[in-house]
Amino acid sequence: PEARLLIVFTDYRRHMSGGNLIINSLDRDQDTGIYQCTAFNTWGTILSRRATLKFAYLDNFKTQTTRSAVSVREGQGVVLLCGPPMHSGELTFAWIFNEYPYFVQQDSRRFISQETGSLYIAKVEPSDVGNYTCVVNNSITKGKVLTMGEYEPKIEVHFPDTVPAAKGSTVKLECFALGNPVPEISWRRTSGVPFPSKVKMKNSNAVLEIQNFQQEDTGTYECVAENSRGKNAARGRISFHAKPHWLQTMIDGALSIEENLFWECKANGKPKPSYSWLKNGDNLMAEGRVQIENGALSIAALNLSDTGMYQCVAENKHGIIYSSAELMVLASPPSFSKNPLKALLKARSGSDVALECKPQASPRAISLWKKGNEIVQRNERITLLPNGTLKIANVTRRDAGSYTCIAKNQFGTASTTGRLFITEPTRITQRPANMEIIVGESIVLPCQIASDPALDVSFSWAFNGQLIDFHGDADHFDRVGGSISGDLMIRNIQLNHGGKYVCVINTDVESLSASAILVVKGPPGPPDTVAVEEITDSTAQLSWKPGRDNGSPITGYIIQARTPFTVGWQAVDTVPEDINGNTLTATVVGLNAWVEYEFRVVARNSVGMGEPSPASAKTRTEDSMPDTAPTDVGGGGGTKSELVITWEPVPEELQNGEGFGYIIAFRPLGAVTWTRAVISTPGVARYVFRNDTIPAFSPFDVKVGAYNNRGEGPFSSIATVFSAEEGKGNGSQWNHAQTAPNLFYSGVIWEALPATPERVLGYEVVYWEDDTKPDTVGKVRISANYSAVNVTGLKANTQYYLALCTFNTAGTGPQSTPINATTKKPPPGQPPLNVEWTMIGSLLTLHWDPVIAMETEAEVIGYLVRLMSLIITNKTRMELTLSSNDNYLIQIKALSEGGEGVGSEPIHIHKLSTLAISSLSSSCVH
């Protein structure tokens, strides 16, 4: 039984600070004990958990005389007992050999028990002879005492029969044996269960340590000591104990007077805890209205004296725990201050109505209902429930009126009144209907009602179970309609807008809803997992998985391909030619050999084409012999004794494999035997055959073929190519050269050559700016049919030198003697200004300021007036007769040897302007 000490603080050593107890100058004899704190206020008292105050100490050994010597035969074992003095607190032990600081070191032959302090030597050796001192340390006080050993030689295995262990603690078992040879120590569980990783062996297996001890670690442990002469074993059992801990506690309660209380608390522990109850810090005994059974407390017919603080106490020999709760016993008259009837309660005709009467009262009040001044009586439609609620089934307008609930108990009476108003049922006059719609379109889902005007109505819409956020998704959703309409507009519908839409109508008395399924159709989603199953030099077999049909069945697929040589994706031919929506494989045909391809698939349905699939992995077709011959085979030209052959190279995507090159075959026209040459560079498009026996300008049959590592491909069609011509034309003579009235070109005229044995293809005019730098050269070529040419792109006001020569396929002939010519200055850069015009009837008079040329510009020699035609004048005034039935656009430019200058701002004259005077910037005035 618990003994509680009430401390009266009459001495200076003990005092309270808040809820803390402070003890100065601690005294072991006076202050050792168990302490509890009592907390109390006007509502009751509770006790704290217990606190135990212990003092750690270590007394001296009773005798300090040196013990008699111990004689042990070499090879035998010996145990030197320490026999610690009186103490409190955990001890540790060590042994000094002969003198400090030489301590005995533990190994497989020597062991110091931390339970008894004894020193065990399994097999004595001559080096063990000497004086031994036991050193005892208190781990808390750090105190230390020493004694000479009491040497009682014996052979023993130290192992307790039973070791109690607390949950979560660290358990240590010691086992040491004496013997010669030195025994080896091992451990096992007699159940055969292997040790978990948390079990550690220390000090040559003399100590078994189990960390975080749990229920499953209980059982019998066996220590086995063994050497070549035999073995010995000892067993001990580890038992499990645990302090109590709560499984269930009570909670604060507020009960009316005369009600019954039932509290139950449950705790677990080992051994099983016992229970007791406290009220305001005092033991609560079972008697009369109070019943206690283990952790259950019941009090019948509560009265005000039962109010207070209660504690459930669970205790075993390893600990004690407390759980606290407050009990309030209430006694009050009825009150509707927190739960009055609504002043106005609306109900739909034909519905069931419940009028709640929920007063606060202790004990519970008895309820009575009145309608107006008459007491409400039960009938087939009216029910009075035990909790005071008045229930009226299938209400009609006759049930409308004022209702009063009257509540009464022994402490008083209270009432509350409310009016019942009956409304007509709300009807949905237009519901949304199931629909199918195409992506991107807009629709309105109707939701319209007819309702009692006395009701407040609100509309809301849900999409797939979630309320639509009209502010957050205003791009697509909007409400339309008035107070009796909750129509929903959906704009620019997307695929994710397909689903179930519910219109919810809430009134004061009821909630209605109408739903519709919206199916949104769109082009198919992208197919998936496009794979090349098999590939040849010209075909590829593909497979894929279908994507989403987006509300409309897939009707077909097309396949597209891409190579490094194409611009983007291109549609390809397939087998079957038309791939229907149920087919998920196809063969692509007409591919080029030895080309790396990517493929993708596009699905279509009744709505349109969908997004393409991701591209397949890049796959190269197999190689094959070339199947395309070079094109545009031709040639000619070159130097004497040469046959020049040219062609258009075969594109890389048509080369069909590695090791690509060209085979050139040629023969004199009319000959039978072909001469062949091979070029192994794919990008070369020209071959020159040199032989002194080749006649000049002689025709040859020429053809060019292709080859690669797989073999030769086809040859081109035969073309006729002439060998190089012999010799070059003689120099031409100038007739004369002149500059044209333009600043950027010069006109050149010469005499044609007389007939020569060499062929003349045309003439070449060479020109340069500086006679000392003929490397700044430009060239113009023209056919032999002409004897004049304009040299364009020249600088203004610059002197040029020009020479003439002939050319044919063998090259150019010698140049003529150079002549020089100078280009003109540029025309004025300023337009005519201050243009004024007057029109009276059909007579138009124009006047403008003269244009003054800069020093670097050509002199003004006149003016060009652009009307219906071009009119040139050297004056700054002009009169013109115009038709009044036409519109006119007039512009004036200065003329010079360098050409036309910049034009004035255009003048617009409309056919209605029969009398007008204006300047360039004025508008017409009639």
Side-chain angles (χ1 to χ4, degrees):
E2 172 189 349
R4 284 184 283 128
L5 176 65
L6 176 62
I7 301 176
V8 180
F9 303 118
T10 58
D11 61 84
Y12 69 94
R13 294 189 309 110
R14 303 184 180 98
H15 68 275
M16 293 280 289
S17 175
N20 298 324
L21 170 62
I22 300 174
I23 306 175
N24 297 314
S25 303
L26 286 167
D27 182 271
R28 187 173 83 186
D29 294 330
Q30 295 186 42
D31 298 324
T32 298
I34 298 173
Y35 293 78
Q36 267 184 300
C37 173
T38 301
F40 59 91
N41 61 15
T42 56
W43 296 100
T45 302
I46 59 172
L47 292 180
S48 72
R49 64 183 180 182
R50 295 174 181 175
T52 301
L53 178 59
K54 296 181 180 180
F55 289 82
Y57 65 90
L58 178 62
D59 289 347
N60 290 319
F61 285 95
K62 291 182 180 180
T63 176
Q64 294 294 332
T65 58
T66 302
R67 312 290 169 73
S68 58
V70 175
S71 297
V72 181
R73 294 172 58 183
E74 182 180 352
Q76 286 188 337
V78 66
V79 179
L80 304 183
L81 304 180
C82 182
M86 296 292 293
H87 64 277
S88 176
E90 184 180 356
L91 301 181
T92 61
F93 301 91
W95 284 80
I96 297 175
F97 178 56
N98 286 331
E99 61 182 15
Y100 183 83
Y102 298 104
F103 287 90
V104 174
Q105 301 300 315
Q106 298 186 75
D107 52 26
S108 61
R109 194 172 63 85
R110 292 170 292 195
F111 173 68
I112 299 173
S113 171
Q114 297 302 314
E115 295 291 333
T116 64
S118 300
L119 169 62
Y120 297 83
I121 302 177
K123 185 186 76 169
V124 174
E125 296 178 351
S127 61
D128 296 325
V129 174
N131 294 319
Y132 290 83
T133 301
C134 179
V135 182
V136 183
N137 291 278
N138 191 307
S139 301
I140 299 175
T141 67
K142 309 302 181 184
K144 179 188 300 183
V145 293
L146 296 82
T147 184
M148 299 298 289
E150 180 181 322
Y151 305 134
E152 177 186 346
K154 62 181 179 179
I155 299 175
E156 69 172 34
V157 177
H158 178 264
F159 199 92
D161 292 334
T162 302
V163 177
K167 179 181 180 180
S169 64
T170 297
V171 178
K172 293 182 180 179
L173 300 180
E174 294 181 346
C175 178
F176 194 76
L178 312 181
N180 185 10
V182 175
E184 293 184 357
I185 306 296
S186 62
W187 294 84
R188 75 180 190 92
R189 294 181 70 170
T190 58
S191 63
V193 177
F195 292 134
S197 59
K198 67 179 181 178
V199 175
K200 309 295 181 184
M201 308 289 182
K202 298 183 177 180
N203 296 352
S204 301
N205 290 357
V207 178
L208 173 73
E209 182 179 283
I210 306 173
Q211 298 177 351
N212 189 24
F213 189 82
Q214 300 295 322
Q215 177 82 46
E216 59 268 20
D217 297 320
T218 60
T220 301
Y221 289 73
E222 183 178 70
C223 166
V224 179
E226 185 174 8
N227 62 13
S228 59
R229 303 293 299 275
K231 67 178 179 179
N232 198 356
R235 293 182 177 181
R237 179 172 179 79
I238 304 180
S239 62
F240 177 83
H241 69 80
K243 295 184 290 186
H245 65 274
W246 289 118
L247 300 177
Q248 177 183 328
T249 59
M250 69 274 202
I251 59 174
D252 295 337
L255 299 177
S256 296
I257 191 170
E258 297 181 1
E259 286 189 317
N260 297 327
L261 167 71
F262 180 80
W263 269 334
E264 185 175 19
C265 57
K266 295 180 181 179
N268 199 4
K270 192 166 184 180
K272 185 177 180 180
S274 60
Y275 301 92
S276 60
W277 287 82
L278 304 175
K279 177 187 176 185
N280 292 329
D282 296 323
N283 284 326
L284 185 63
M285 307 304 294
E287 58 181 353
R289 295 181 302 109
V290 179
Q291 297 295 320
I292 298 175
E293 185 176 352
N294 291 326
L297 169 66
S298 60
I299 304 177
L302 290 171
N303 57 47
L304 295 177
S305 65
D306 294 319
T307 297
M309 296 299 299
Y310 289 78
Q311 288 179 283
C312 178
V313 184
E315 181 178 11
N316 66 13
K317 64 180 181 180
H318 302 295
I320 183 170
I321 54 176
Y322 296 80
S323 174
S324 304
E326 177 188 3
L327 172 62
M328 295 180 63
V329 179
L330 307 176
S332 64
S335 171
F336 289 99
S337 60
K338 291 187 177 180
N339 297 301
L341 276 176
K342 287 185 178 181
L344 176 63
L345 178 64
K346 297 178 182 179
R348 175 178 57 83
S349 175
S351 65
D352 295 342
V353 175
L355 302 177
E356 292 184 338
C357 184
K358 299 173 65 176
Q360 289 180 300
S362 297
R364 194 172 70 182
I366 299 173
S367 300
L368 174 70
W369 282 92
K370 286 186 176 182
K371 180 184 178 185
N373 294 321
E374 296 181 0
I375 297 176
V376 176
Q377 302 294 332
R378 291 183 176 88
N379 58 35
E380 66 276 4
R381 291 193 307 112
I382 298 177
T383 305
L384 294 174
L385 302 180
N387 63 1
T389 299
L390 171 63
K391 189 172 183 181
I392 307 174
N394 192 21
V395 295
T396 66
R397 288 190 176 274
R398 292 193 302 272
D399 296 315
S402 178
Y403 287 81
T404 301
C405 176
I406 303 171
K408 181 179 179 180
N409 67 8
Q410 65 262 44
F411 298 109
T413 302
S415 64
T416 180
T417 301
R419 187 166 68 92
L420 179 62
F421 183 83
I422 308 301
T423 65
E424 291 299 320
T426 302
R427 293 180 297 105
I428 299 177
T429 58
Q430 189 172 4
R431 299 171 174 268
N434 297 340
M435 298 181 67
E436 293 184 353
I437 193 167
I438 304 299
V439 165
E441 296 181 350
S442 300
I443 61 166
V444 173
L445 295 179
C447 184
Q448 299 180 13
I449 63 168
S451 65
D452 193 305
L455 294 176
D456 293 328
V457 181
S458 65
F459 294 88
S460 60
W461 282 86
F463 171 53
N464 289 339
Q466 298 292 324
L467 282 177
I468 294 176
D469 181 2
F470 288 95
H471 296 289
D473 202 357
D475 291 342
H476 295 287
F477 296 105
D478 195 9
R479 298 182 224 253
V480 293
S483 60
I484 60 169
S485 175
D487 295 353
L488 172 66
M489 172 177 280
I490 312 175
R491 291 186 291 265
N492 188 21
I493 287 180
Q494 301 300 306
L495 289 172
N496 59 358
H497 292 147
K500 183 178 182 180
Y501 289 81
V502 179
C503 174
V504 181
I505 305 104
N506 288 306
T507 70
D508 303 328
V509 297
E510 61 185 325
S511 179
L512 298 86
S513 66
S515 63
I517 302 297
L518 182 62
V519 177
V520 180
K521 294 183 177 182
D528 192 20
T529 319
V530 178
V532 179
E533 304 291 347
E534 184 179 348
I535 195 162
T536 67
D537 60 345
S538 62
T539 65
Q541 184 176 342
L542 305 184
S543 66
W544 60 90
K545 293 181 180 178
R548 297 169 58 93
D549 63 10
N550 292 333
S552 178
I554 296 172
T555 58
Y557 295 94
I558 64 170
I559 298 177
Q560 298 173 336
R562 179 174 65 181
T563 74
F565 312 107
T566 59
V567 179
W569 293 89
Q570 307 289 333
V572 292
D573 295 331
T574 59
V575 175
E577 184 176 354
D578 293 323
I579 307 171
N580 64 47
N582 297 321
T583 301
L584 299 177
T585 62
T587 300
V588 181
V589 297
L591 303 179
N592 294 327
W594 200 245
V595 173
E596 194 173 64
Y597 280 89
E598 293 176 277
F599 299 97
R600 70 182 188 184
V601 181
V602 183
R604 65 174 179 268
N605 61 13
S606 60
V607 180
M609 301 294 294
E611 292 291 323
S613 70
S616 68
K618 293 181 178 179
T619 308
R620 185 181 291 274
T621 51
E622 296 178 350
D623 59 350
S624 68
M625 293 185 298
D627 53 14
T628 301
T631 59
D632 294 336
V633 176
T639 60
K640 182 180 179 182
S641 302
E642 287 184 348
L643 175 63
V644 178
I645 302 171
T646 60
W647 60 91
E648 183 69 26
V650 175
E652 183 179 349
E653 64 268 29
L654 300 178
Q655 293 175 4
N656 289 7
E658 295 181 319
F660 184 83
Y662 298 101
I663 303 171
I664 298 92
F666 54 92
R667 65 186 178 188
L669 189 64
V672 176
T673 304
W674 293 90
T675 300
R676 291 165 60 102
V678 175
I679 294 179
S680 59
T681 306
V684 171
R686 187 173 185 268
Y687 171 73
V688 179
F689 175 70
R690 294 179 179 85
N691 193 310
D692 293 340
T693 64
I694 296 178
F697 206 63
S698 176
F700 282 79
D701 288 336
V702 174
K703 61 181 180 180
V704 181
Y707 73 93
N708 61 19
N709 290 345
R710 293 294 298 271
E712 294 184 9
F715 276 88
S716 67
S717 57
I718 297 175
T720 301
V721 177
F722 286 83
S723 61
E725 299 184 73
E726 187 173 18
K728 301 174 185 177
N730 296 322
S732 299
Q733 297 299 319
W734 295 109
N735 183 327
H736 62 277
Q738 64 183 26
T739 57
N742 193 299
L743 71 159
F744 296 125
Y745 68 87
S746 177
V748 184
I749 304 173
W750 61 89
E751 291 182 356
L753 281 174
T756 62
E758 297 84 11
R759 190 167 64 123
V760 175
L761 294 180
Y763 298 94
E764 181 178 89
V765 177
V766 183
Y767 58 93
W768 61 93
E769 294 181 27
D770 192 340
D771 197 28
T772 63
K773 298 178 181 178
D775 53 334
T776 60
V777 170
K779 297 179 181 179
V780 178
R781 280 193 171 188
I782 195 167
S783 70
N785 299 330
Y786 296 90
S787 59
V789 70
N790 283 332
V791 181
T792 61
L794 305 180
K795 296 180 182 178
N797 196 27
T798 303
Q799 185 179 47
Y800 284 88
Y801 294 87
L802 301 96
L804 184 67
C805 61
T806 59
F807 68 88
N808 61 17
T809 59
T812 57
Q815 291 182 354
S816 68
T817 303
I819 64 172
N820 62 69
T822 301
T823 55
K824 302 297 182 181
K825 291 182 180 181
Q830 183 179 3
L833 301 177
N834 298 324
V835 179
E836 296 180 354
W837 61 274
T838 302
M839 188 171 181
I840 300 175
S842 61
L843 180 63
L844 172 67
T845 303
L846 293 171
H847 182 272
W848 61 90
D849 291 346
V851 177
I852 307 301
M854 306 287 289
E855 185 178 348
T856 57
E857 297 174 339
E859 291 293 330
V860 176
I861 60 176
Y863 296 93
L864 178 66
V865 179
R866 186 184 301 273
L867 190 59
M868 302 294 288
S869 59
L870 298 180
I871 303 173
I872 298 176
T873 180
N874 57 3
K875 299 179 180 180
T876 60
R877 176 182 174 86
M878 177 178 287
E879 291 184 351
L880 299 170
T881 300
L882 304 178
S883 170
S884 60
N885 295 322
D886 293 320
N887 295 323
Y888 295 93
L889 178 66
I890 302 174
Q891 189 177 41
I892 305 170
K893 296 182 180 180
L895 284 177
S896 70
E897 291 185 349
E900 300 176 6
V902 178
S904 66
E905 288 291 330
I907 299 171
H908 296 272
I909 300 177
H910 301 284
K911 59 186 179 181
L912 297 178
S913 302
T914 58
L915 175 59
I917 301 173
S918 179
S919 65
L920 181 61
S921 58
S922 302
S923 59
C924 296
V925 178
H926 293 279

